[in-house]
C-alpha cells in the first residue's frame, strides 16, 4: 500500500493530532471537539493587550468564511452588537484567568470559550468569527486562505474598548499549522509596535 492509497484520518485521529501539535508548539490545550477539525483549517488568535493573555482555536475555513459573510451582510448594527458582546467575553475571561485557578473558575472559563448556542450564547471563537465580518481584510481576494491566521487584539482605554483584527498568511507559521508561541509573540509585538506609531486612536 502506498502513502497515496492510505485512507484519510478519522475526525478523532485528526483531533488527537491537532492537540499533540498544539501542545508541541507551546499551547495549553483545554478542550477539543473532534468534529471541529473536519474540512480545511484556519486558525484564530484572540489577544488581550493589557493582560497579554492569548487564546487560540482551529476552525473550519469554509464555515468561518460563511459566518463572517453573513455578519457582513447583516450590517453595522449587528456588527456593533457582536463587537460589544465579544469585548465583554474577553474581559470576563481576562478577569477569571487572572484569578487563582479553581474547578469552578476553570468551568466558567470553559463555558465562556465554548458558549451555548442553544441558549443564544455564542462563545469566544464563535463571536470572533462573527467579528471577522467587520474586517475588510477577510474578504480581499487571496489575502485569507486555507491554513491562514486571523488575529484579533483587544485594546482598552479609560473610555473605550477597541477590537483590532488582521489576517496573516499560512507562511507566517513557517509551514502548515498552528503558529508556535514564539512566532505569535513576535508577530503580536510587531503589530502592537506598529499600532503605537500609526493608530493613536487605539490609545496605546
Amino acid at each position: 500500500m502506498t502513502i497515496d492509497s492510505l485512507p484519510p484520518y478519522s475526525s478523532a485521529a485528526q483531533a488527537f493530532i491537532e492537540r499533540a501539535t498544539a501542545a508541541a508548539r507551546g499551547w495549553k490545550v483545554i478542550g477539543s471537539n473532534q468534529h471541529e477539525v473536519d474540512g480545511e483549517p484556519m486558525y484564530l488568535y484572540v489577544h488581550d493587550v493589557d493582560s497579554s493573555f492569548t487564546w487560540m482555536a482551529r476552525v473550519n475555513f469554509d464555515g468561518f468564511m460563511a459566518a463572517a459573510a453573513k455578519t457582513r451582510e447583516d450590517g453595522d448594527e449587528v456588527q456593533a452588537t457582536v463587537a460589544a458582546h465579544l469585548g465583554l467575553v474577553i474581559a470576563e475571561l481576562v478577569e477569571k484567568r487572572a484569578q487563582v485557578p479553581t474547578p469552578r473558575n476553570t468551568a466558567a472559563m470553559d463555558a465562556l470559550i465554548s458558549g451555548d448556542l442553544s441558549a443564544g450564547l455564542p462563545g469566544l471563537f464563535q463571536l470572533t468569527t462573527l467579528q471577522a465580518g467587520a474586517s475588510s481584510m477577510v474578504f480581499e481576494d487571496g489575502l485569507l486562505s486555507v491554513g491562514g491566521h486571523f488575529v484579533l487584539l483587544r485594546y482598552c482605554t479609560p473610555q473605550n474598548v477597541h477590537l483590532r483584527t488582521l489576517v496573516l498568511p499560512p507562511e507566517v507559521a513557517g509551514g502548515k499549522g498552528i503558529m508556535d508561541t514564539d512566532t505569535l509573540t513576535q508577530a503580536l509585538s510587531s503589530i502592537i509596535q506598529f499600532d503605537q506609531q500609526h493608530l493613536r486612536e487605539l490609545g496605546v
Side-chain angles (χ1 to χ4, degrees):
M1 180 179 290
T2 66
I3 294 294
D4 291 339
S5 65
L6 288 172
Y9 290 120
S10 66
S11 293
Q14 288 179 337
F16 173 80
I17 292 168
E18 287 291 333
R19 290 196 300 271
T21 301
R25 294 190 174 181
W27 293 97
K28 179 180 178 182
V29 181
I30 62 172
S32 179
N33 180 341
Q34 69 183 54
H35 300 296
E36 291 176 352
V37 301
D38 291 338
E40 297 286 1
M42 63 169 293
Y43 304 93
L44 311 184
Y45 308 83
V46 177
H47 180 75
D48 179 71
V49 175
D50 284 355
S51 67
S52 295
F53 292 153
T54 307
W55 296 266
M56 180 277 295
R58 176 201 197 275
V59 299
N60 176 277
F61 177 80
D62 291 335
F64 174 90
M65 293 302 297
K70 179 65 169 62
T71 306
R72 186 188 196 191
E73 293 169 2
D74 287 340
D76 294 343
E77 185 174 348
V78 169
Q79 292 171 20
T81 300
V82 168
H85 193 175
L86 177 55
L88 289 173
V89 166
I90 297 172
E92 287 188 61
L93 280 167
V94 168
E95 179 183 350
K96 294 186 182 304
R97 187 166 165 178
Q99 297 171 0
V100 175
T102 64
R104 182 176 181 179
N105 197 28
T106 300
M109 286 192 289
D110 289 349
L112 287 167
I113 291 171
S114 60
D116 184 358
L117 290 181
S118 64
L121 298 171
L124 174 66
F125 294 108
Q126 293 153 346
L127 286 166
T128 301
T129 297
L130 296 176
Q131 178 67 19
S135 170
S136 60
M137 294 181 73
V138 168
F139 304 100
E140 290 185 24
D141 288 342
L143 194 55
L144 181 61
S145 59
V146 168
H149 309 272
F150 180 78
V151 181
L152 183 143
L153 296 88
R154 175 180 176 262
Y155 288 101
C156 292
T157 69
Q159 293 79 29
N160 293 298
V161 172
H162 299 277
L163 300 179
R164 159 99 150 100
T165 59
L166 67 155
V167 169
L168 299 175
E171 295 75 27
V172 76
K176 293 179 62 177
I178 304 160
M179 270 192 281
D180 62 54
T181 52
D182 287 344
T183 300
L184 180 62
T185 297
Q186 292 172 11
L188 289 171
S189 178
S190 297
I191 293 163
I192 293 168
Q193 184 177 9
F194 175 90
D195 291 348
Q196 289 172 335
Q197 296 172 358
H198 301 285
L199 298 177
R200 298 296 177 86
E201 67 271 19
L202 297 179
V204 296

